[in-house]
Amino acid sequence: MDSVGINRAPLGSASAAAVSPRRGIALRRSVAFANRRFGSVRSTTARAQSGNAGRSMTEDRECIMSEAEMSLKYSSGKAFPLGVSQVEGALNFAIFSQYASSVILCLKLPGRGTEDDKDVDIIEFVLDRQKNKTGDIWHVSVEGLPSSSVLYGYHVDGPQGWHQGHRFDSSAVLLDPYAKLVSGRKYFGIAEEKSNQLFGTYDFDSSPFDWGDNYRLPNLPETDLVIYEMNVRAFTADDSSGLSSDVRGSYLGVIDKIPHLLELGVNAVELLPVFEYDELEFKRYPNPRDHMVNTWGYSTINFFAPMSRYASAGGGPVAASKELKQMVKELHKAGIEVILDVVYNHTNEADDANPYMTSFRGIDNKVYYMLDLNKNAELLNFSGCGKTMVLTLANEMFWFNLGNTLNCNHPVVKELILDSLRHWVQEYHIDGFRFDLASVLCRGPDGCPLDAPPLIKEIAKDAVLSRCKIIAEPWDCGGLYLVGRFPNWDRWAEWNGQYRDDIRRFIKGDPGMKGVFATRVSGSADLYQVNKRKPHHGVNFVIAHDGFTLYDLVSYNFKHNDANGEGETNDLNVLSLRSRQMKNFHVALMISQGTPMMLMGDEYGHTRYGNNNSYGHDTGINHFQWEQLEQRRDGHFRFFSEMIKFRHRNPILRQDRFLNKNDVTWHEDCWENLESKFLAFTIHDHSSGGDIYLAFNAHDYFVDAVIPPPPHHKCWNRVVDTNLESPNDIVPEGVLFGGSKYRIAPYSSILLKAKP
């Protein structure tokens, strides 16, 4: 790769022009320092990154040195902390690069053009290898800078040996990996905004966020969690949210809808990525996806900065930070924990064919990414970003891109990730993290799996993270499937992909699934009863963001397939069956031992019309439809809400140990019959006798189930029968049932509760 170099005078160069003490002196600006001042200053013109190289152009020109430039002073600075920090009346800038030969700090001061200008003057500081470098960290302290509203980045140059893993390009303005705020476009999905250049920024002027005197973290036990996977933007972006256009799709929009979450009964939200990402990444060059907008956010630009375009009214990065904290505060006030879906397996910088150099690639590609040094140092990929690939999981096909994989267990990258996690906990009071494609985090620099991955262990043992829920998606796109085997140190929970697959197959009516179904609803002891692991270490789910919605799961066998009774229909029998199946899935999820997770929109039956990979649609395909919620509030929504609340009221459904033979009675004597699709069992309440009887009929015919006697001095009360119409399908207080048999309809389930 050819580097577009820029000739700059070195620090202390004899060729540097003398600094005039007078204002208004015209100088030819080149970078140099002398006597703790600018010897002369080079002004470059920053342009928006364009094309697949992501480069910026610079030019020399005669111009006037401003008063602000004249007053700036520099000193050597210090190596830690990385990023920007206040120190002794100055601001310290520190960045890691092991292989760089030169680093230049670029500053854009307030008032020097607007943020939307393509052409604005940038002040540059050339860092001296002797004075401004400690080990592999480059640093400089600048006195006289404003305490906020300054934009900054770096030019980094180094060896041009592509085969050695280097991708340096001294023309690019690169984003600080430790930038706590990122400045770019202001409005989500607006391609017409002028600037696409990313800068770090900071705010040391604002008062600390007021969390309130009576503020408390929820600190919910893991056994009590009911997780709601949701997307911040999609939750309120639709007009039907009733919010103003300035608030729709923002952190503040979530606050407005907290009453809905409380009515539903969930007590934890798992937010799709809220780290800064580029939703317009598909539009950088002509390609089959250039009509799409990345609305899910699995393409991280920076691991410390909140998504700035989730701020209300285009407020920018500082507003985004404050509003995210406000959202967390209000959720906590409502007793709802906040779990972030975090993407540490890859970044937005794509691959070598169509690179988008914004940060890590140009700062130290060989350190930050996994490379195959035996194949011209090409980027390894276990994460699925970049070129299109197809992966089949649970009989569903998912389309991914091939690109890069973060070198997570390199000591520097590992510390970056740990620092990032601590930042979100300490600065934003985040309660937990779900790690996207977490098996990538279990690989060494060469991509080989590690038995005891240092990063995974340190996350489990870290003091700051000790109060946090940590959840792995225990697979990656390279085939490292670790469900039930994820390195855990008795701390890590896992998305239980086996639960999803087996519950779907049984409820659908596949043969030979009864025994496995019993194992899954009783806590997946075959996967998690190891060492000190608990049932809650398995996160049970039937539906997640990447795949069919619950409505589409019971409506489509294949994506966009409208034949053979699939897709949209007015057939009342088909609609009734779909309704029962959605309720059956929800009942199974809410009575299972372990931690349940449901997807935003399933509480009213959201459809994506068979699209099972809707990451690129900032439309009603993904947006929560509030009008549909109102239309189905008394039926579908009521059932889902009451079932969640039933789980909360009955601790025997969420135990902190695995069930033994005294905890459950299986009313079953034909486990070996592969054609049997009926299962009934009683979960015993040893403390109060409030036993719960459950039966699932996945046959296409009625089953007359023999009901066991209730506990002494108790009577059975019917709480759930998914075959009944609302409101009889779920009656929280129960309807007295005194019979010895219950006729259970095809594809339906019942729940009886023992009461005095």
Side-chain angles (χ1 to χ4, degrees):
M1 179 178 182
D2 295 330
S3 172
V4 179
I6 301 172
N7 297 321
R8 295 182 173 92
L11 183 64
S13 168
S15 64
V19 176
S20 169
R22 295 175 294 166
R23 295 179 58 194
I25 302 298
L27 300 173
R28 187 167 194 80
R29 297 181 176 181
S30 60
V31 178
F33 298 116
N35 300 322
R36 297 176 61 80
R37 282 186 174 273
F38 292 118
S40 75
V41 180
R42 182 182 206 162
S43 174
T44 69
T45 302
R47 299 188 187 275
Q49 294 190 0
S50 60
N52 60 10
R55 296 178 175 176
S56 61
M57 301 298 292
T58 62
E59 61 181 14
D60 289 327
R61 57 195 177 97
E62 299 290 335
C63 52
I64 306 300
M65 182 179 290
S66 72
E67 182 177 1
E69 293 168 351
M70 292 289 290
S71 65
L72 296 180
K73 298 180 180 180
Y74 87 100
S75 60
S76 60
K78 58 181 185 178
F80 293 100
L82 293 171
V84 184
S85 58
Q86 288 182 305
V87 54
E88 300 171 0
L91 292 176
N92 191 79
F93 296 80
I95 186 172
F96 167 90
S97 182
Q98 178 178 348
Y99 294 101
S101 59
S102 71
V103 174
I104 299 172
L105 173 65
C106 307
L107 297 171
K108 177 185 170 185
L109 302 184
R112 294 177 65 87
T114 68
E115 290 187 10
D116 294 331
D117 285 344
K118 282 187 177 180
D119 298 335
V120 294
D121 286 344
I122 288 182
I123 304 169
E124 296 180 346
F125 296 79
V126 175
L127 276 61
D128 186 294
R129 294 178 62 91
Q130 303 302 317
K131 300 177 182 178
N132 301 105
K133 189 170 184 283
T134 303
D136 295 323
I137 297 176
W138 301 72
H139 46 81
V140 63
S141 179
V142 185
E143 184 180 340
L145 281 174
S147 298
S148 63
S149 302
V150 173
L151 307 183
Y152 77 99
Y154 292 93
H155 290 301
V156 181
D157 203 359
Q160 299 304 302
W162 182 283
H163 64 285
Q164 295 176 334
H166 303 303
R167 305 293 189 269
F168 291 105
D169 180 354
S170 64
S171 69
V173 179
L174 301 172
L175 184 64
D176 179 6
Y178 273 79
K180 304 306 187 294
L181 300 170
V182 172
S183 177
R185 297 185 311 276
K186 291 184 178 180
Y187 297 95
F188 190 93
I190 305 300
E192 291 74 20
E193 280 197 70
K194 294 181 180 179
S195 176
N196 198 30
Q197 174 65 57
L198 300 169
F199 289 96
T201 188
Y202 54 81
D203 176 25
F204 296 114
D205 283 332
S206 297
S207 300
F209 182 79
D210 182 10
W211 291 94
D213 294 336
N214 298 319
Y215 170 79
R216 296 289 184 274
L217 294 168
N219 282 328
L220 299 176
E222 287 176 286
T223 52
D224 294 349
L225 290 184
V226 176
I227 299 174
Y228 184 79
E229 190 189 27
M230 61 172 286
N231 180 305
V232 167
R233 175 166 174 79
F235 196 44
T236 64
D238 196 79
D239 290 351
S240 64
S241 68
L243 304 180
S244 69
S245 59
D246 284 345
V247 176
R248 289 200 297 267
S250 70
Y251 300 118
L252 297 186
V254 174
I255 296 175
D256 190 84
K257 299 301 184 180
I258 289 176
H260 168 71
L261 300 175
L262 292 174
E263 185 179 4
L264 179 59
V266 297
N267 56 16
V269 291
E270 183 174 300
L271 305 180
L272 267 62
V274 297
F275 293 5
E276 184 72 25
Y277 71 92
D278 181 9
E279 74 278 12
L280 299 181
E281 63 178 358
F282 305 135
K283 300 180 182 296
R284 293 197 297 264
Y285 57 90
N287 68 89
R289 300 178 300 157
D290 58 14
H291 63 289
M292 301 172 78
V293 173
N294 185 344
T295 188
W296 284 359
Y298 290 88
S299 191
T300 309
I301 288 173
N302 175 278
F303 297 114
F304 292 85
M307 177 58 172
S308 59
R309 287 170 296 288
Y310 285 172
S312 63
V318 175
S321 176
K322 293 177 180 178
E323 291 176 10
L324 174 56
K325 292 174 184 176
Q326 188 175 346
M327 183 195 78
V328 172
K329 177 181 176 180
E330 294 303 317
L331 286 166
H332 283 176
K333 183 178 178 181
I336 299 172
E337 292 197 335
V338 180
I339 299 169
L340 299 186
D341 191 337
V342 291
V343 187
Y344 293 111
N345 56 76
H346 74 280
T347 76
N348 68 300
E349 293 188 301
D351 54 19
D352 286 330
N354 295 288
Y356 184 48
M357 184 181 290
T358 56
S359 182
F360 309 95
R361 179 183 174 91
I363 292 171
D364 217 327
N365 186 74
K366 191 172 183 178
V367 167
Y368 283 113
Y369 294 115
M370 294 185 190
L371 307 173
D372 187 345
L373 296 177
N374 295 318
K375 294 181 65 176
N376 201 33
E378 70 178 29
L379 293 165
L380 292 173
N381 184 278
F382 302 101
S383 61
C385 62
K387 300 175 184 175
T388 301
M389 69 169 286
V390 179
L391 178 69
T392 300
L393 290 172
N395 297 319
E396 289 190 43
M397 291 187 295
F398 299 93
W399 279 257
F400 296 97
N401 298 314
L402 297 174
N404 62 66
T405 304
L406 208 63
N407 192 8
C408 300
N409 284 294
H410 184 286
V412 170
V413 185
K414 172 173 65 70
E415 200 59 37
L416 170 83
I417 294 172
L418 289 166
D419 286 343
S420 165
L421 293 168
R422 296 176 190 126
H423 174 71
W424 290 101
V425 172
Q426 294 171 323
E427 185 72 15
Y428 293 94
H429 295 194
I430 297 303
D431 302 290
F433 304 92
R434 177 267 190 187
F435 292 78
D436 181 65
L437 298 179
S439 291
V440 168
L441 282 58
C442 299
R443 295 181 182 271
D446 61 355
C448 293
L450 303 172
D451 291 333
L455 174 61
I456 299 300
K457 180 179 180 179
E458 292 198 32
I459 291 173
K461 302 292 186 181
D462 190 84
V464 173
L465 305 179
S466 62
R467 72 166 182 82
C468 294
K469 283 76 177 177
I470 49 176
I471 304 168
E473 183 184 31
W475 52 80
D476 64 19
C477 294
L480 188 56
Y481 190 77
L482 296 174
V483 172
R485 300 183 295 112
F486 193 85
N488 58 80
W489 287 271
D490 298 325
R491 276 274 286 132
W492 282 83
E494 303 174 16
W495 268 24
N496 188 347
Q498 282 297 121
Y499 180 95
R500 172 199 58 203
D501 301 346
D502 294 339
I503 297 297
R504 287 183 178 188
R505 293 182 63 191
F506 176 82
I507 296 294
K508 187 176 70 171
D510 285 359
M513 294 304 299
K514 180 168 60 177
V516 177
F517 179 78
T519 299
R520 296 292 159 250
V521 298
S522 57
S524 296
D526 61 327
L527 299 175
Y528 301 117
Q529 195 171 10
V530 179
N531 299 326
K532 297 180 180 179
R533 301 193 88 181
K534 307 289 186 180
H536 61 70
H537 286 123
V539 176
N540 299 327
F541 66 103
V542 177
I543 300 296
H545 67 276
D546 49 355
F548 288 132
T549 65
L550 186 58
Y551 178 89
D552 290 352
L553 179 68
V554 302
S555 304
Y556 296 85
N557 282 335
F558 304 99
K559 67 183 187 73
H560 300 301
N561 191 335
D562 297 324
N564 302 321
E566 300 174 25
E568 301 307 303
T569 181
N570 293 319
D571 188 307
L572 295 181
N573 291 326
V574 172
L575 292 175
S576 177
L577 174 59
R578 291 176 180 178
S579 176
R580 292 202 306 276
Q581 288 291 65
M582 286 190 283
K583 290 188 284 187
N584 292 335
F585 278 121
H586 192 58
V587 170
L589 181 63
M590 289 303 148
I591 62 88
S592 295
Q593 304 295 326
T595 302
M597 182 188 76
M598 64 173 292
L599 176 65
M600 175 188 90
D602 282 347
E603 68 266 37
Y604 67 83
H606 182 83
T607 180
R608 296 174 183 156
Y609 305 100
N611 189 323
N612 72 336
N613 197 19
S614 61
Y615 63 94
H617 297 277
D618 187 34
T619 67
I621 288 178
N622 282 315
H623 295 170
F624 195 102
Q625 300 298 301
W626 294 93
E627 289 180 354
Q628 291 183 24
L629 171 67
E630 290 305 314
Q631 294 166 5
R632 301 164 188 172
R633 179 172 295 281
D634 295 332
H636 185 99
F637 173 79
R638 176 184 171 275
F639 184 93
F640 272 55
S641 173
E642 293 295 350
M643 196 63 225
I644 293 171
K645 293 168 184 174
F646 183 85
R647 178 182 177 86
H648 287 313
R649 291 193 300 269
N650 290 273
I652 62 172
L653 299 177
R654 44 189 173 84
Q655 301 190 42
D656 63 355
R657 59 176 177 79
F658 289 94
L659 302 180
N660 59 45
K661 63 181 181 180
N662 297 318
D663 297 321
V664 59
T665 298
W666 303 100
H667 307 297
E668 181 59 57
D669 55 10
C670 55
W671 293 103
E672 294 78 18
N673 183 356
L674 298 182
E675 296 305 314
S676 175
K677 304 173 185 179
F678 178 86
L679 181 67
F681 55 98
T682 299
I683 304 174
H684 300 295
D685 183 352
H686 300 300
S687 62
S688 64
D691 289 8
I692 295 173
Y693 172 89
L694 290 141
F696 293 85
N697 181 16
H699 286 291
D700 58 1
Y701 52 81
F702 282 87
V703 171
D704 292 317
V706 176
I707 305 301
H712 192 55
H713 297 308
K714 297 287 174 52
C715 298
W716 288 120
N717 286 258
R718 188 198 78 230
V719 177
V720 171
D721 185 338
T722 61
N723 184 54
L724 300 178
E725 296 296 322
S726 180
N728 295 316
D729 54 356
I730 184 165
V731 182
E733 64 276 15
V735 176
L736 184 64
F737 175 79
S740 61
K741 288 186 177 181
Y742 197 112
R743 190 167 176 78
I744 304 176
Y747 298 109
S748 65
S749 53
I750 68 167
L751 184 157
L752 308 179
K753 169 75 174 176
K755 301 179 70 174

